[in-house]
Amino acid sequence: MISQKAKYALRALVALAKQPPGKPTFISEIAETQSIPKKFLEQILLDMKHHGLVASRRGKAGGYGLLRPADTISFGEVLRIIDGPIAPLPCLSKIAYRRCEDCKEEASCEVRRVFAQVADATRGVLDRTTIADALEARLPPRLRDAVA
Amino acid sequence: MISQKAKYALRALVALAKQPPGKPTFISEIAETQSIPKKFLEQILLDMKHHGLVASRRGKAGGYGLLRPADTISFGEVLRIIDGPIAPLPCLSKIAYRRCEDCKEEASCEVRRVFAQVADATRGVLDRTTIADALEARLPPRLRDAVA
DNA sequence: ACTTACTCTACAGGGACAATATAGTTTGAA
DNA sequence: TTCAAACTATATTGTCCCTGTAGAGTAAGT
């Protein structure tokens, strides 16, 4: 299960991607149209800003906008920012590897071997699918590379 | 991330699958060899028993053993018992579907569409891989069906 | 009977999640 | 220049779940 926060973040980015670029969008506007608590969304967008995904302008005509093109922001990147590692076991994470204290030798761990496959499959989808892909209902992301 | 409890459960089942069938194995033996807190393991095995995966015998010559053949117990089944739904969003779960309160129409939800693929990929591995597969280091589970 | 092992319920400590509160800063406009 | 709208930042709260422990009870072999 992904966290509510990650779901909000993804929905907010998708919403920003739909707006004409260059013109900032109010937090309050996103919060209303997406049914996200406004103060919570503020934290989320601030977090995304610190990671360079979005930019903001203050003041009355302020708001948020995507800083990078929507087709360069993957679901995996967002999830790692909000929820942390994607791997189902700490000993399978690429960004935050941690040995399992129980489990004598990693190489012969049956559980690890199976979940390594789960991790690969999951990352295959999440790291290949971008916010831009999500907007195009027609093409499944698998076909994107094939067509390009 | 799967829970520690689920990891223990899978390791315990793998350990039971390695034992000669028919002869029960002590909880304390599994607890020691697998580095699992004994009292915690008791709860886990009891839970597995209630779900019909293992059987137990009491008394001095008691212990636990697999009730079903190891190649009929999938990782997915165990995970659903211990951790609940595998789906990354409640609106994608087959066993515990719940609509997302936020999100106006499911059919046009971009986030849902992407995670539906993640769910399929994950289930593809977990529901096809059994405890017996985990024991055979050589054959990746994908090949199992092809060979059979 | 006596020991060993399984059965069951309850509960406690810690940490993560979801959100709210509060205070402050910046900017554009009246 | 004053105001209000909007973003920035940090702190705090309540709830829930995860992990593990405690303890009393039950069954079975010797």
Side-chain angles (χ1 to χ4, degrees):
Chain A
M1 289 277 185
I2 70 170
S3 69
Q4 187 72 5
K5 196 173 177 182
K7 202 165 62 172
Y8 286 160
L10 289 168
R11 288 234 309 272
L13 289 175
V14 168
L16 286 179
K18 283 179 179 169
Q19 297 300 119
K23 213 190 96 205
T25 308
F26 295 148
I27 284 187
S28 53
E29 185 183 330
I30 302 175
E32 278 167 32
T33 63
Q34 301 294 325
S35 311
I36 303 174
K38 187 187 161 196
K39 290 302 249 175
F40 199 23
L41 181 57
E42 284 181 8
Q43 286 180 49
I44 293 167
L45 286 176
L46 198 55
D47 212 358
M48 310 299 271
K49 180 188 176 180
H50 289 157
H51 284 85
L53 301 192
V54 300
S56 66
R57 217 161 67 194
R58 298 219 259 193
K60 192 156 191 185
Y64 275 89
L66 288 188
L67 186 56
R68 283 161 40 192
D71 63 0
T72 67
I73 304 175
S74 73
F75 272 56
E77 181 174 3
V78 178
L79 280 185
R80 288 192 183 88
I81 291 173
I82 304 288
D83 282 354
I86 288 174
L89 291 175
C91 66
L92 285 170
S93 170
K94 293 190 173 163
I95 61 166
Y97 170 85
R98 255 188 40 239
R99 194 180 175 290
C100 295
E101 286 95 25
D102 45 333
C103 157
K104 294 159 188 48
E105 2 167 24
E106 236 167 50
S108 66
C109 176
E110 295 90 356
V111 174
R112 181 182 147 95
R113 212 155 45 216
V114 172
F115 281 97
Q117 293 182 47
V118 175
D120 283 345
T122 305
R123 283 197 276 251
V125 175
L126 293 178
D127 287 338
R128 235 178 285 282
T129 308
T130 67
I131 300 294
D133 291 322
L135 287 177
E136 299 169 25
R138 293 153 200 103
L139 285 183
R142 292 276 174 65
L143 292 183
R144 201 179 44 112
D145 293 326
V147 172
Chain B
M1 289 277 184
I2 70 169
S3 70
Q4 187 72 6
K5 195 173 176 182
K7 203 165 58 173
Y8 287 159
L10 289 168
R11 288 232 310 272
L13 289 174
V14 168
L16 286 180
K18 283 179 180 169
Q19 298 301 119
K23 212 190 97 205
T25 309
F26 293 149
I27 284 186
S28 52
E29 185 183 329
I30 302 175
E32 277 166 33
T33 63
Q34 301 294 325
S35 310
I36 304 174
K38 187 187 160 195
K39 289 301 251 176
F40 199 24
L41 182 56
E42 284 183 7
Q43 285 180 48
I44 293 168
L45 286 176
L46 197 55
D47 210 358
M48 310 298 271
K49 180 187 176 180
H50 289 159
H51 284 85
L53 300 192
V54 300
S56 66
R57 217 161 66 193
R58 300 217 257 193
K60 193 157 190 185
Y64 275 90
L66 288 189
L67 186 55
R68 284 162 37 193
D71 64 359
T72 67
I73 303 177
S74 73
F75 273 56
E77 181 175 3
V78 178
L79 280 184
R80 287 192 183 88
I81 291 173
I82 303 288
D83 282 354
I86 288 174
L89 292 174
C91 65
L92 284 171
S93 171
K94 292 187 173 165
I95 61 164
Y97 170 87
R98 255 187 42 238
R99 194 181 175 288
C100 296
E101 287 94 24
D102 45 334
C103 159
K104 292 161 188 50
E105 1 166 24
E106 236 167 50
S108 66
C109 176
E110 295 89 356
V111 174
R112 181 183 146 96
R113 212 155 44 217
V114 173
F115 281 97
Q117 293 183 47
V118 175
D120 283 344
T122 305
R123 283 195 276 250
V125 176
L126 294 178
D127 287 338
R128 236 178 284 283
T129 308
T130 67
I131 300 294
D133 292 322
L135 286 178
E136 299 169 25
R138 293 153 199 104
L139 286 182
R142 291 278 174 63
L143 293 181
R144 202 180 42 115
D145 293 326
V147 171

